[in-house]
């Protein structure tokens, strides 16, 4: 017994020394928000042993920052002439935002595109499955979550079938939700190339040891011809067969120049995961004639200007946070936001407060029930000041609201994987698409109106009179906002 106690004492001393090392790393090496640094320093100091384990899972990051380093470089503004040539006033309103995204995430404005929005999982996966069946050359799929349930097994079987007939398949999954051993065996046997983004360093342990720097993107590119991008992962819950019931999400099927930009982003994260240096190759979109014919057939409807916006902890700028900021600051009439996690940083919250005080209609929709117990109290904490200033806060009650969308003035919509929270803004690899087409924005706003009918508006008097225990719970959980 005495040797065990002695070993335990030595181990605890080593943990205390490691905690001190972590605090020094936080202060000297990590370029984080001071509040984030202070939070971890307090946790490591006051709860050294629990804090040690928590920091291993949620805090440590410097190794991954170097591993995923992408040096910021000035880029030529290819979009400038396009904006001026278009003579479209609504497009010129967002010229500065377009330039900013081109400079920071290196994604140009494109215009020879078709786009189809999906607001329902059943319709979305029906379209995706059909396009996967028709794939002739290659499939590139990047998912944060790929469950081996009914839907996942159906898609996995289809990928295996396509691989057997010679279709090249590249599957990129995040280390926080890695494929099961049985799924890995199926992928390997079928000859499907797959990579895991920041996997667990421990063999035979199928979980990630770090919750930071996850690849949160959801994207599928088929034959360099079409692409799907949005909020849908692969799992039964995304078609409404989960414990939260109906799943309200948003995604886009796109074709045209934008596919090249999405493919470039796929290779960026693939190369991080595989330590390869694969490049896009021929940048000319091979189906442009086909796309132009489709644009003519549609007579300009659901076609036109789109721009990819990406961000990650390795960027010099918080691009998607700044995308939200630019959209909010550029609004003249209204701002509609849908997000499952409303945990804004001070900059976004202040911008929304200024918008409210400037007479701009601000409507924010969050889910009435959450997929994480800590999120709903934090959501409720942050809506208080906006309610007081006249913002409309709506709780979606039909099921779970998972879509990540911001619509501004009927002129632009940004949708994709980015939530309004610290994790999406500062810690994850995320991807959105900005659409500068009024008819498409109109479809999103029409759906927003439908969602309002399935929502309950939170009144400020009712919010103020909520139970004391709720207020305490919100205030306590809010302290964890920087790591959410």
């Amino acid at each position: 017994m005495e040797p065990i106690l002695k070993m335990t004492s030595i181990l605890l001393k080593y943990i205390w020394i490691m905690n001190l090392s972590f605090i020094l790393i936080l202060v000297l090496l990590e370029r984080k928000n001071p509040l984030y640094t202070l939070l971890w320093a307090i946790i490591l100091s006051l709860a050294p042993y629990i804090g040690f384990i928590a920091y291993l899972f949620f805090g440590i990051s410097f190794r991954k920052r170097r591993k995923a380093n992408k040096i910021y470089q000035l880029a030529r503004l290819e979009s400038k002439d396009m904006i001026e040539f278009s003579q479209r006033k609504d497009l010129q309103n967002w010229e500065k935002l377009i330039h900013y995204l081109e400079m920071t995430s290196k994604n140009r404005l494109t215009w020879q595109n078709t786009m189809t929005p999906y607001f329902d999982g059943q319709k979305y996966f029906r379209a995706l499955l059909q396009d996967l069946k028709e794939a002739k050359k290659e499939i590139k799929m990047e998912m944060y979550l790929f469950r081996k349930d009914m839907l996942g097994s159906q898609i996995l079987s289809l990928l295996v079938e396509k691989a057997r007939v010679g279709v090249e398949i590249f599957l990129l999954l995040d280390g926080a939700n890695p494929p099961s051993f049985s799924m890995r065996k199926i992928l390997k046997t079928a000859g499907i190339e797959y990579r895991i983004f920041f996997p667990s360093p421990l063999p035979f342990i199928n979980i990630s040891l770090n919750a930071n720097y996850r690849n949160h993107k959801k994207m599928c590119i088929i034959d360099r011809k079409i692409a799907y991008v949005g909020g849908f992962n692969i799992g039964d819950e995304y078609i409404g067969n989960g414990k939260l019931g109906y799943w309200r999400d948003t995604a886009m099927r796109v074709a045209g120049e934008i596919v090249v930009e999405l493919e470039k982003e796929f290779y960026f994260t693939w190369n991080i995961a595989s330590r390869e240096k694969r490049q896009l190759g021929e940048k000319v979109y091979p189906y442009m004639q086909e796309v132009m014919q489709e644009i003519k057939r549609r007579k300009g409807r659901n076609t036109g200007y789109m721009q990819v916006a990406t961000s990650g902890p390795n960027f010099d700028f918080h691009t998607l946070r700044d995308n939200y900021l630019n959209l909010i600051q550029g609004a003249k009439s209204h701002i509609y936001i849908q997000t499952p996690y409303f945990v804004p940083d001070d900059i976004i919250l202040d911008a929304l407060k200024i918008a409210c005080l400037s007479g701009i209609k601000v409507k924010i929709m969050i889910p009435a029930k959450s997929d994480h117990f800590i999120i709903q109290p934090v959501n409720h904490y942050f809506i208080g000041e906006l309610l007081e200033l006249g913002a409309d806060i709506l709780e979606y009650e039909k099921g779970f609201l998972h879509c990540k969308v911001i619509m501004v003035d009927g002129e632009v919509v940004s949708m994709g994987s980015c939530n309004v929270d610290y994790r999406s803004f500062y810690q994850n690899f995320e991807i959105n698409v900005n659409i500068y087409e009024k008819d498409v924005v109109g479809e999103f706003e029409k759906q927003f109106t439908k969602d309002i009918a399935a929502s309950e508006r939170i009144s400020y008097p009712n919010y103020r009179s909520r139970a004391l225990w709720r207020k305490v719970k919100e205030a306590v959980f809010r302290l964890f906002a920087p790591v959410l």
Side-chain angles (χ1 to χ4, degrees):
M1 189 68 181
E2 187 176 342
I4 295 174
L5 291 174
K6 190 174 181 180
M7 287 291 293
T8 303
S9 176
I10 293 171
L11 178 62
L12 294 177
K13 284 179 182 178
Y14 274 117
I15 291 176
W16 185 87
I17 293 169
M18 286 296 295
N19 275 14
L20 181 60
S21 301
F22 286 156
I23 292 171
L24 290 174
I25 288 167
L26 276 166
V27 173
L28 299 177
L29 299 181
E30 293 277 19
R31 295 174 58 190
K32 293 184 180 295
N33 185 304
L35 289 176
Y36 182 94
T37 302
L38 182 61
L39 173 65
W40 275 116
I42 291 171
I43 292 172
L44 289 167
S45 300
L46 298 183
Y49 307 121
I50 296 174
F52 173 80
I53 296 170
Y55 192 69
L56 283 177
F57 276 85
F58 297 101
I60 196 164
S61 59
F62 56 91
R63 180 179 65 86
K64 290 185 171 60
R65 177 182 293 277
R66 289 200 301 269
K67 193 173 174 182
N69 188 40
K70 180 180 179 182
I71 300 172
Y72 169 75
Q73 297 173 341
L74 292 177
R76 186 170 67 88
L77 294 176
E78 297 180 27
S79 305
K80 192 173 183 66
D81 292 339
M82 190 186 303
I83 297 168
E84 293 174 355
F85 177 76
S86 73
Q87 298 298 310
R88 271 182 44 185
K89 177 65 177 174
D90 60 307
L91 189 64
Q92 292 169 2
N93 288 342
W94 304 104
E95 182 176 4
K96 291 180 180 178
L97 171 59
I98 291 166
H99 289 171
Y100 175 80
L101 294 178
E102 187 174 1
M103 293 288 283
T104 55
S105 65
K106 301 183 180 66
N107 290 299
R108 64 191 177 90
L109 180 68
T110 63
W111 72 273
Q112 297 178 101
N113 303 296
T114 67
M115 55 204 85
T116 305
Y118 289 95
F119 307 111
D120 174 80
Q122 295 283 353
K123 294 178 181 178
Y124 170 80
F125 283 106
R126 192 156 50 242
L128 175 61
L129 283 164
Q130 184 59 41
D131 283 328
L132 288 172
K133 288 176 184 176
E134 295 176 4
K136 300 290 191 297
K137 296 180 179 179
E138 64 174 28
I139 296 168
K140 299 185 180 83
M141 186 175 288
E142 186 173 356
M143 288 288 157
Y144 176 67
L145 178 65
F146 192 136
R147 297 196 192 280
K148 194 171 176 281
D149 50 19
M150 186 181 70
L151 176 64
S153 296
Q154 185 181 1
I155 293 176
L156 181 60
S157 296
L158 184 52
L159 293 178
V160 169
E161 181 184 327
K162 300 307 292 187
R164 284 174 181 161
V165 296
V167 176
E168 279 193 286
I169 298 175
F170 304 88
L171 179 62
L172 180 58
L173 302 175
D174 187 70
N177 303 287
S180 64
F181 294 119
S182 62
M183 183 173 172
R184 294 182 199 215
K185 187 176 180 180
I186 291 169
L187 294 171
K188 190 174 181 179
T189 303
I192 294 173
E193 285 200 60
Y194 75 93
R195 299 289 185 274
I196 301 174
F197 194 87
F198 291 161
S200 167
L202 300 179
F204 310 114
I205 295 182
N206 218 23
I207 59 170
S208 170
L209 291 184
N210 195 296
N212 284 345
Y213 297 168
R214 304 322 321 169
N215 183 24
H216 196 237
K217 301 175 184 178
K218 298 97 173 169
M219 183 166 62
C220 183
I221 303 167
I222 302 170
D223 286 343
R224 301 191 70 198
K225 181 178 182 180
I226 55 175
Y228 287 81
V229 60
F232 288 101
N233 287 296
I234 295 176
D236 286 348
E237 64 265 43
Y238 293 88
I239 54 174
N241 296 335
K243 62 181 181 180
L244 294 172
Y246 180 74
W247 194 281
R248 170 68 183 87
D249 219 325
T250 296
M252 294 285 293
R253 179 191 189 273
V254 297
E257 296 176 291
I258 196 73
V259 175
V260 175
E261 303 298 302
L262 292 169
E263 192 175 23
K264 180 179 69 177
E265 293 302 328
F266 176 86
Y267 278 123
F268 168 62
T269 41
W270 177 272
N271 288 343
I272 292 173
S274 63
R275 299 183 182 180
E276 299 172 359
K277 292 187 178 179
R278 295 194 183 216
Q279 297 198 359
L280 189 60
E282 180 55 61
K283 293 186 180 181
V284 177
Y285 185 65
Y287 300 92
M288 194 49 65
Q289 186 174 0
E290 182 180 322
V291 170
M292 291 306 294
Q293 290 174 351
E294 178 64 15
I295 289 173
K296 289 179 182 178
R297 189 186 69 79
R298 294 190 182 202
K299 297 181 180 178
R301 179 155 185 83
N302 283 26
T303 66
Y305 290 97
M306 305 179 74
Q307 185 177 24
V308 173
T310 62
S311 68
N314 54 320
F315 281 47
D316 281 357
F317 297 90
H318 306 301
T319 308
L320 282 172
R321 192 281 310 271
D322 295 344
N323 182 49
Y324 266 85
L325 183 62
N326 271 277
L327 288 167
I328 293 166
Q329 290 178 332
K332 297 179 178 64
S333 169
H334 61 264
I335 301 163
Y336 302 154
I337 295 173
Q338 291 178 298
T339 179
Y341 316 124
F342 186 67
V343 192
D345 64 2
D346 289 342
I347 296 173
I348 295 296
L349 187 60
D350 285 347
L352 288 169
K353 286 156 68 174
I354 291 169
C356 290
L357 291 169
S358 302
I360 294 166
K361 292 180 182 177
V362 176
K363 295 179 185 288
I364 299 170
M365 187 177 293
I366 56 177
K369 52 185 176 182
S370 181
D371 57 343
H372 298 294
F373 75 95
I374 196 173
I375 293 299
Q376 191 173 40
V378 178
N379 280 350
H380 278 225
Y381 178 90
F382 281 100
I383 64 175
E385 291 180 84
L386 295 175
L387 276 172
E388 186 178 8
L389 297 177
D392 279 341
I393 308 295
L394 305 129
E395 285 192 313
Y396 185 79
E397 296 187 319
K398 183 178 177 181
F400 179 58
L401 181 81
H402 188 253
C403 56
K404 307 96 164 52
V405 180
I406 177 170
M407 300 152 270
V408 177
D409 291 353
E411 294 182 353
V412 59
V413 58
S414 183
M415 55 73 59
S417 69
C418 184
N419 295 305
V420 182
D421 64 11
Y422 284 76
R423 190 161 292 280
S424 281
F425 288 161
Y426 299 110
Q427 298 175 6
N428 285 345
F429 293 85
E430 304 279 3
I431 189 164
N432 267 34
V433 175
N434 284 10
I435 303 156
Y436 307 93
E437 294 295 335
K438 287 186 175 181
D439 63 326
V440 179
V441 182
E443 288 192 41
F444 275 82
E445 293 194 350
K446 184 179 178 181
Q447 179 62 44
F448 187 77
T449 301
K450 290 181 181 178
D451 293 335
I452 290 176
S455 303
E456 184 72 26
R457 183 176 178 272
I458 301 176
S459 70
Y460 185 58
N462 286 346
Y463 178 81
R464 286 197 63 184
S465 62
R466 68 197 187 285
L468 178 61
W469 68 270
R470 290 184 182 274
K471 296 178 183 178
V472 172
K473 187 178 178 182
E474 292 164 11
V476 171
F477 283 172
R478 179 259 172 188
L479 296 176
F480 295 93
V483 295
L484 294 178

